[in-house]
Amino acid sequence: MSSDGNSSDEEEQEILLSDISELRSARQHTPALPTVYQPTRTILHVDVDCFYAQSIFIRCDDSGDTAEPPPQPAIAVQQKHIVVTCNYPARALGVGKLTGIKAALRLQEQGLVKVHDGSDLTEFRADSYTIYETVRQFFNERFGKRGLLFKACKSGMDEYNIDVSNTVNSGVGALELANELRKFVFSRTRFTTSVGAGPNIFLAKMAANEKKPYGSFYMSLEEARPRILEMPLRSLPGLGRASLNVMKEQIQKANFPPGTSEEAKLIVKHLLNTSTDALCDDQDTGLLSRADVEKFKEMGRGLDRRPVEDDEFKDKKRSGIEQSFIRGTLTDSKSVKAEISTLSGRLLKLIAEENSRFKGDARVGKNLVVTIRDRGEDGKSSYSASRKSKSVPWPGCNRDQLTLAASRLFELLAKSHYGSDKEFNITLINLAIEWADSGAAKAKKRGIQDIAGFFTAASSNPAKKI
Ligand SMILES: [Mg+2]
């Protein structure tokens, strides 16, 4: 498998996304899935090719409007002491994603690679939204007049899903649409993307990885099924780290009892070959319920019911910024204070950016939330269990006050977690603002209460009615 496959893209996001908490909360708030599987859907998945490196390239590219993408120099993106991502020319020189920075810096000395700092995500986020808006513009310009509805959402910094069932059912070919979309995005933004098409989000995403860079592909269920069977379990959408570990344990127990010498590399086929009863989490940690097992087995057969939720006007509950650290590198409170000050500045920038794009009523900050993570020595401890949060009422958009409040929360967290704010060893700090309910959301809630109150009053005291 080449290094630009599914997994590496996910790793890239995991490390690089400061606003990953936003994604996580979006996932947690996924509404109930439709009960009937819809075989006639068509989904497009847009994935920007080497997004971060491309974004840096485009900022300083002066080759003007070209019909085809211009060749790029080798670019590596640095965060702290590692290369978090790089483009294809850099990979050709041996630079790897998530590797130490030294080799890349040596190549830079020889004039072969350009190393850019990618710690501040402001400009990346701006590009990410520009591309998203361009995707929406394509459908509005091309089909808006014919009244064909589409639903589009951002599913990461550089990924977008679009439900184009209406358009395809009206006679436009899915692959034709994917090709047109990627050319449109390039002509308007200079970004090359790979656009996959398929009957659901999972398969469309697989399709987008087929013809990278700047290609399109349609992944049918027939073609996807045998390939999914051979994929590692972690490729199943929505399978978090903790649930994955429970699933592996259960499969191992059912198929390879202790004493078997076989150290199995578990793939999707193993999941489908294990009975649902054997897979349900018998330690009752709540990580793998029967419904979950059935859902993941369905995914294993290439069926994915997740809807594309149009997020043009979606209210966010919180907005956050985070920074991860290699274990053992952040152990004194002075460097923590410095990191918190940097993150405070970035959070305020994020809030200003979001507010300028926000289409509803002005938003009001409710709480400041600080989260720290401490992944155990074995690197195995459950993701959610190792995250600890504390919050205070939002101190306002003054950087010094924000830094002060966040540092105080950090001290409290460190004390309750380590018994002291002097000794700690954390791998992540996240600063987030929790938004108060918007006017619209409040009105909606009030409306429901008013109606409920009306019925209660009317039925509990019928004598007064006349
Ligand atoms: Mg990408």
Side-chain angles (χ1 to χ4, degrees):
M1 177 109 186
S2 67
S3 60
D4 58 307
N6 220 345
S7 57
S8 56
D9 268 10
E10 272 159 22
E11 279 163 11
E12 171 179 323
Q13 280 177 12
E14 184 170 320
I15 298 288
L16 207 53
L17 272 184
S18 278
D19 46 5
I20 195 166
S21 60
E22 161 193 334
L23 299 172
R24 195 171 299 117
S25 76
R27 261 183 231 131
Q28 281 162 358
H29 292 102
T30 307
L33 301 172
T35 45
V36 180
Y37 181 69
Q38 298 165 279
T40 55
R41 288 198 302 163
T42 304
I43 308 294
L44 298 188
H45 179 87
V46 178
D47 184 329
V48 186
D49 303 319
C50 305
F51 172 67
Y52 298 91
Q54 222 191 139
S55 173
I56 288 165
F57 168 70
I58 289 170
R59 274 176 231 161
C60 38
D61 176 43
D62 51 10
S63 56
D65 279 358
T66 50
E68 289 301 314
Q72 289 180 24
I75 296 172
V77 185
Q78 172 183 13
Q79 263 191 10
K80 303 283 169 192
H81 311 293
I82 53 173
V83 171
V84 278
T85 184
C86 58
N87 61 1
Y88 292 98
R91 287 177 213 177
L93 291 168
V95 180
K97 282 182 179 182
L98 305 181
T99 52
I101 193 69
K102 278 187 190 154
L105 288 176
R106 265 198 303 277
L107 288 165
Q108 176 164 258
E109 274 166 28
Q110 298 164 35
L112 296 171
V113 170
K114 287 192 166 162
V115 178
H116 288 259
D117 183 49
S119 311
D120 186 346
L121 299 186
T122 310
E123 293 191 66
F124 297 116
R125 273 197 307 267
D127 282 342
S128 168
Y129 273 98
T130 303
I131 298 168
Y132 176 58
E133 270 151 23
T134 308
V135 167
R136 298 194 74 97
Q137 203 180 349
F138 169 76
F139 289 97
N140 282 325
E141 281 184 20
R142 175 87 157 67
F143 302 104
K145 286 195 198 84
R146 285 162 61 193
L148 292 172
L149 294 173
F150 66 95
K151 288 177 174 177
C153 71
K154 258 163 79 66
S155 71
M157 185 70 114
D158 72 327
E159 294 184 15
Y160 316 86
N161 292 317
I162 312 108
D163 186 327
V164 294
S165 308
N166 277 314
T167 315
V168 170
N169 291 342
S170 78
V172 184
L175 194 56
E176 181 193 331
L177 205 54
N179 276 319
E180 265 189 58
L181 173 58
R182 112 185 122 75
K183 284 176 188 157
F184 183 88
V185 171
F186 175 70
S187 73
R188 297 289 170 100
T189 68
R190 314 301 294 163
F191 272 93
T192 71
T193 57
S194 295
V195 183
N200 58 49
I201 297 179
F202 183 21
L203 269 53
K205 191 172 155 86
M206 275 176 77
N209 279 314
E210 258 331 277
K211 300 274 179 194
K212 270 189 159 298
Y214 200 40
S216 308
F217 189 77
Y218 182 86
M219 182 67 73
S220 69
L221 192 56
E222 293 69 30
E223 186 165 0
R225 273 188 169 159
R227 295 164 71 169
I228 296 172
L229 289 179
E230 303 299 322
M231 280 159 61
L233 288 171
R234 69 180 153 79
S235 328
L236 292 173
L239 185 55
R241 197 189 304 265
S243 307
L244 172 67
N245 286 338
V246 175
M247 184 186 280
K248 278 183 176 167
E249 231 169 76
Q250 302 292 83
I251 295 178
Q252 193 81 34
K253 227 191 282 177
N255 300 285
F256 314 100
T260 341
S261 58
E262 193 170 0
E263 185 57 41
K265 184 177 174 290
L266 297 179
I267 53 176
V268 174
K269 191 159 60 182
H270 292 115
L271 169 69
L272 295 188
N273 290 341
T274 310
S275 79
T276 303
D277 281 336
L279 282 165
C280 291
D281 168 23
D282 53 10
Q283 287 142 28
D284 199 28
T285 55
L287 289 170
L288 211 53
S289 66
R290 183 165 291 269
D292 285 340
V293 170
E294 276 159 9
K295 181 180 76 188
F296 290 124
K297 280 191 162 184
E298 233 180 41
M299 291 275 193
R301 294 195 298 273
L303 306 177
D304 175 2
R305 296 167 194 255
R306 290 174 299 165
V308 174
E309 298 274 348
D310 197 285
D311 58 10
E312 194 180 11
F313 294 100
K314 199 167 69 184
D315 271 359
K316 273 169 70 173
K317 298 261 182 270
R318 60 156 76 181
S319 311
I321 284 284
E322 70 188 30
Q323 177 71 55
S324 8
F325 306 91
I326 296 168
R327 212 186 140 73
T329 58
L330 192 62
T331 49
D332 68 288
S333 33
K334 205 174 152 203
S335 5
V336 166
K337 292 252 162 72
E339 294 292 348
I340 286 180
S341 167
T342 309
L343 286 173
S344 298
R346 286 191 198 146
L347 179 59
L348 292 177
K349 246 192 207 171
L350 173 73
I351 292 170
E353 260 172 68
E354 282 189 1
N355 283 346
S356 71
R357 263 194 310 266
F358 194 67
K359 294 181 176 148
D361 299 340
R363 301 184 298 176
V364 179
K366 194 170 136 198
N367 291 317
L368 162 69
V369 188
V370 174
T371 306
I372 58 171
R373 184 186 67 196
D374 169 21
R375 195 170 290 162
E377 297 277 5
D378 58 356
K380 271 184 182 173
S381 61
S382 129
Y383 197 73
S384 54
S386 60
R387 289 174 81 97
K388 305 262 180 296
S389 299
K390 274 196 191 299
S391 64
V392 285
W394 179 246
C397 288
N398 172 297
R399 184 167 169 183
D400 291 338
Q401 279 171 12
L402 186 59
T403 306
L404 202 71
S407 305
R408 181 73 194 122
L409 282 176
F410 172 80
E411 283 164 18
L412 292 172
L413 276 168
K415 250 185 206 152
S416 69
H417 192 46
Y418 296 97
S420 141
D421 62 344
K422 303 283 178 290
E423 279 168 48
F424 48 82
N425 195 352
I426 60 183
T427 55
L428 174 139
I429 302 178
N430 176 308
L431 252 60
I433 179 170
E434 237 169 36
W435 297 105
D437 276 348
S438 68
K442 267 190 203 155
K444 206 170 153 196
K445 268 190 199 164
R446 225 180 10 249
I448 292 166
Q449 278 161 6
D450 288 351
I451 292 168
F454 171 79
F455 280 117
T456 325
S459 60
S460 62
N461 202 348
K464 272 191 180 171
K465 266 178 99 180
I466 303 167

